[in-house]
Amino acid sequence: MTEVLVVGAGPAGLAAALAARARGAAVTLLDAADELGGQYWRHLPPQRPAARERALHHGWARFERMRRELEADPGCEVLTSAQVWAIEPADDDGRVGADGRLIDGGDRAVAGAAARAALVVHVLVGPVDGADRVARSIRPDALVLATGAHDRTLPFPGWDLPGVFTAGAAQALAKGERVAVGERVVVAGAGPFLLPVAASLAATGARVVGVHEANRPGRLAAGWLPRPWALIGAVGKAGELAGYAWNHVRHRIPYRTGSAVVAAHGTDRVEAVTIASLDRDWRPIAGTERRVEADAVCVSHGFTPRLELPIAAGCAITSDRFVVVDAGQGTSVAGVYAAGEITGIGGVDAALAEGAVAGHVAAGGSPTDAEISREMRARRTTTDFAGRIEASHGIRSGWTAWLDDDTLVCRCEEVPYGRLRATGDATCSTGLRSLKLTTRAGLGICQGRICGRTVEHLLGGDGGFADGVSTDRRPIAAPVRLAELAGASAPNRPEGHLRKETP
Ligand SMILES: Cc1cc2nc3c(=O)[nH]c(=O)nc-3n(C[C@H](O)[C@H](O)[C@H](O)COP(=O)(O)OP(=O)(O)OC[C@H]3O[C@@H](n4cnc5c(N)ncnc54)[C@H](O)[C@@H]3O)c2cc1C
């Protein structure tokens, strides 16, 4: 029986696990979070359950069905609080190339079957802050990566003040804690994600004083209006959009296009922001600046995929930083599939469709099989939807005009824009590794998850770096204690620790 490991239990991973089970594979579904559902279906803490957990969610009933089915299925092992911290080539199989790619199927290959993954996935299971996480190393036949994305935020003067949140963090607090990040909140950035964030803030009691989309109406129209028939498959989104529009009317939330928060002000925390109109490339238009009082700001300029594991597995990545996949969601590495936001930012429907295709093919099916035709059709629609999001809301280069020399770019290592530029100019280096070492940008606790793409753009422009390095390469994908790395030699390792090597 094919053993499929699915990493990530958001919409894409859940759909992948179900589809793989439908084809009879033995499935392990794991997620670093303590509940299934990913970023989209978040849960209230168990100590504070609410009868209406589904409030602020779309498709909660569908989620509950998926979860029930997987949890009740003896053929699916579900692991939560299970962090994959590394992926490496299998060393028991002499036929694996130095880059981790399969040269042939190895001793596990079956004539006529799809090529098997030749990777070992290292997992720590247990609460992140607990001392007794259990180490497991899993060698699946097929691996589905569905690790999602986190939101991308461009810097501006004052963005390091308390009270400035990523829109994703504000949404997570609203959905997962029913907490609003402030009383008078400005939401700004680019993309449709600003709308559910404003809705959740209003529902949790905040006064949203404005939603500011950086793109001008011309660009939004050029991205969304052509070929309207291609959007018919995404008709469900129209109802969601209508709900957000009604939310803006009901709570009197102004929605402004072609404008952005270009500075936040305050001493101990945010007290006000400067909002400016932008030109089509997001350069502030002189004389349009106005000050708005606010005690919180939520900013998001799109999403950036979580690529640590695909890169560690050796998957090819596109120039705009998504995992390259074929019609069956197969990556460039045999036996490794990818689905959801790591292959493109298309929203929950895209994640569900891609996940189902990935799980089906990982379990030995084909993208042309009748059982998966509905998902293949949905995938075509959602691919179009993802293209429109990028065309309408993608980041424009003029945002660097918001920065002054003192604006912190890397908040962990406190590297301001002026120093970053001056050090880059002084070293004349064309390699990202040496630039990171000399500037310290991206070397702090978040390991460049927040600032990495920004640092790359500011130091390397659009041309990339001579050493081919990217800030998404993190061979150790999550913090691991030295004792956990040391494994058996850990002094506080309790009895019962399991190291399961799947041969
Ligand atoms: C903070 C946030 C809030 C969002 N809120 C909304 C919203 O309200 N409305 C909306 O339409 N869209 C929202 N989105 C976008 C939406 O979540 C995505 O469209 C959708 O969830 C993508 O599904 P996915 O399965 O690809 O990824 P996700 O739902 O992100 O799931 C990925 C899962 O992978 C797990 N994972 C990642 N790395 C590892 C690892 N190394 N080991 C183990 N597990 C791992 C994560 O814990 C996560 O549960 C939000 C996105 C973010 C980042």
Side-chain angles (χ1 to χ4, degrees), residues 7-13 30-33 37-40 42 82-84 146-151 168-169 171-172 175 193 196 237 240 244 303 306 309 339-342 347-348 351 477:
V7 180
L30 61 81
D31 199 295
Q39 303 283 9
Y40 192 70
R42 279 187 173 265
Q83 175 80 56
V84 175
T147 49
H150 55 81
D151 50 356
Q171 182 72 336
K175 278 187 172 177
F193 183 48
K237 288 278 165 208
E240 213 175 306
Y244 296 137
F303 291 92
R306 294 171 72 161
L309 300 186
E341 307 275 73
I342 57 171
V348 64

Side-chain angles (χ1 to χ4, degrees), residues 152-406:
R152 183 167 175 197
T153 301
L154 300 173
F156 51 84
W159 78 309
D160 50 319
L161 278 171
V164 179
F165 295 84
T166 66
Q171 182 72 336
L173 280 168
K175 278 187 172 177
E177 303 279 345
R178 299 286 195 267
V179 168
V181 294
E183 287 176 8
R184 261 182 79 80
V185 187
V186 173
V187 177
F193 183 48
L194 304 182
L195 301 175
V197 173
S200 300
L201 285 166
T204 45
R207 162 129 173 68
V208 182
V209 292
V211 174
H212 297 270
E213 159 68 52
N215 293 288
R216 294 163 70 92
R219 184 169 182 218
L220 299 178
W224 287 110
L225 295 187
R227 297 176 292 104
W229 59 89
L231 280 170
I232 286 170
V235 79
K237 288 278 165 208
E240 213 175 306
L241 186 63
Y244 296 137
W246 169 237
N247 177 65
H248 273 61
V249 173
R250 193 159 62 105
H251 294 284
R252 299 195 187 156
I253 303 171
Y255 181 80
R256 310 237 186 270
T257 54
S259 63
V261 167
V262 295
H265 315 281
T267 38
D268 295 330
R269 56 167 301 118
V270 173
E271 290 158 19
V273 293
T274 297
I275 290 168
S277 297
L278 304 182
D279 69 13
R280 55 190 300 202
D281 285 325
W282 294 17
R283 271 183 221 91
I285 300 173
T288 62
E289 299 85 356
R290 63 193 174 91
R291 199 178 157 101
V292 173
E293 308 291 313
D295 64 354
V297 192
C298 303
V299 232
S300 163
H301 300 94
F303 291 92
T304 186
R306 294 171 72 161
L307 293 178
E308 294 93 346
L309 300 186
I311 288 176
C315 302
I317 308 292
T318 63
S319 58
D320 51 354
R321 299 291 179 86
F322 294 107
V323 181
V324 176
V325 284
D326 61 20
Q329 300 297 135
T331 69
S332 59
V333 180
V336 180
Y337 301 80
E341 307 275 73
I342 57 171
T343 68
I345 305 300
V348 64
D349 295 336
L352 287 164
E354 291 172 8
V357 173
H360 177 82
V361 179
S366 154
T368 55
D369 289 342
E371 348 36 317
I372 209 74
S373 59
R374 194 163 51 93
E375 285 79 4
M376 288 298 287
R377 270 198 310 281
R379 209 181 74 131
R380 279 192 286 280
T381 307
T382 55
T383 302
D384 176 77
F385 193 77
R388 288 170 192 263
I389 292 179
E390 177 55 28
S392 314
H393 304 280
I395 291 173
R396 308 290 286 200
S397 59
W399 66 269
T400 52
W402 307 343
L403 306 178
D404 59 37
D405 278 355
D406 296 328

Side-chain angles (χ1 to χ4, degrees), residues 71-105:
E71 287 182 343
D73 181 350
C76 181
E77 181 185 26
V78 176
L79 294 172
T80 51
S81 301
Q83 175 80 56
V84 175
W85 62 273
I87 294 183
E88 58 179 359
D91 59 6
D92 58 346
D93 183 328
R95 290 157 290 260
V96 179
D99 59 357
R101 293 177 194 212
L102 195 68
I103 293 170
D104 69 32

Side-chain angles (χ1 to χ4, degrees), residues 62 92 106 125 438 448 464 476:
R62 179 176 189 173
D92 58 346
V125 187
T438 45
I476 295 192

